[in-house]
Amino acid sequence: MRILHTMLRVGNLERSLKFYTDVLGMQLLRQKDYPEGRFTLAFVGYGDETAHTVLELTHNWDTEHYDLGDGFGHIAIAVTDAAAACAEIKKRGGKVVREAGPMKHGTTVIAFVEDPDGYKIELIERK
């Protein structure tokens, strides 16, 4: 078994696609409209779905905003240099909500960014 994808509901698909592709550097792998259900699915990631876990961005056409709830934590992405990744994300218009530094009670260097819908993405430094 392996994890195939994680689904996030997004209020504005074009804004979210811009963030995940232009700011985080993912690729739009596929996208399909479902007019009868009034929703669109877009899959983004760093590699082909046959070998990589990806994100499914679900846009329900009649919903512009979601309450995130308190059960969801974050999505984690490995980076070689968390401070450099934060600088690049800011340069591309992304929002860094916790600058790179050691995690509490540990030594692993992490940072957090936020997508346009408020979902947190943790950057974990892996040399």
Side-chain angles (χ1 to χ4, degrees):
M1 287 188 261
R2 75 175 178 90
I3 296 174
L4 299 175
H5 65 260
T6 296
M7 186 270 273
L8 300 176
R9 289 182 177 93
V10 300
N12 180 308
L13 184 59
E14 293 309 313
R15 179 185 68 190
S16 293
L17 285 173
K18 184 172 176 52
F19 173 79
Y20 284 100
T21 59
D22 294 352
V23 176
L24 292 186
M26 293 183 185
Q27 300 168 359
L28 175 60
L29 303 169
R30 60 187 169 103
Q31 180 175 331
K32 184 173 181 183
D33 292 331
Y34 294 85
E36 304 80 27
R38 300 192 52 73
F39 67 94
T40 302
L41 301 181
F43 291 80
V44 295
Y46 292 112
D48 186 86
E49 291 176 78
T50 60
H52 295 85
T53 302
V54 301
L55 291 177
E56 172 189 333
L57 305 177
T58 298
H59 177 242
N60 293 299
W61 299 353
D62 302 316
T63 306
E64 294 181 12
H65 174 77
Y66 292 94
D67 294 323
L68 299 185
D70 59 3
F72 178 80
H74 61 267
I75 296 163
I77 297 174
V79 297
T80 55
D81 182 330
C86 286
E88 186 64 26
I89 286 168
K90 284 191 239 178
K91 187 171 105 179
R92 296 178 183 185
K95 180 179 178 184
V96 175
V97 295
R98 187 219 194 255
E99 294 289 343
M103 62 183 270
K104 288 183 182 180
H105 314 293
T107 57
T108 302
V109 176
I110 64 170
F112 279 89
V113 300
E114 191 175 274
D115 88 348
D117 289 283
Y119 293 109
K120 302 290 188 289
I121 295 120
E122 180 182 23
L123 307 177
I124 300 174
E125 193 169 280
R126 298 241 169 113
K127 302 266 181 204

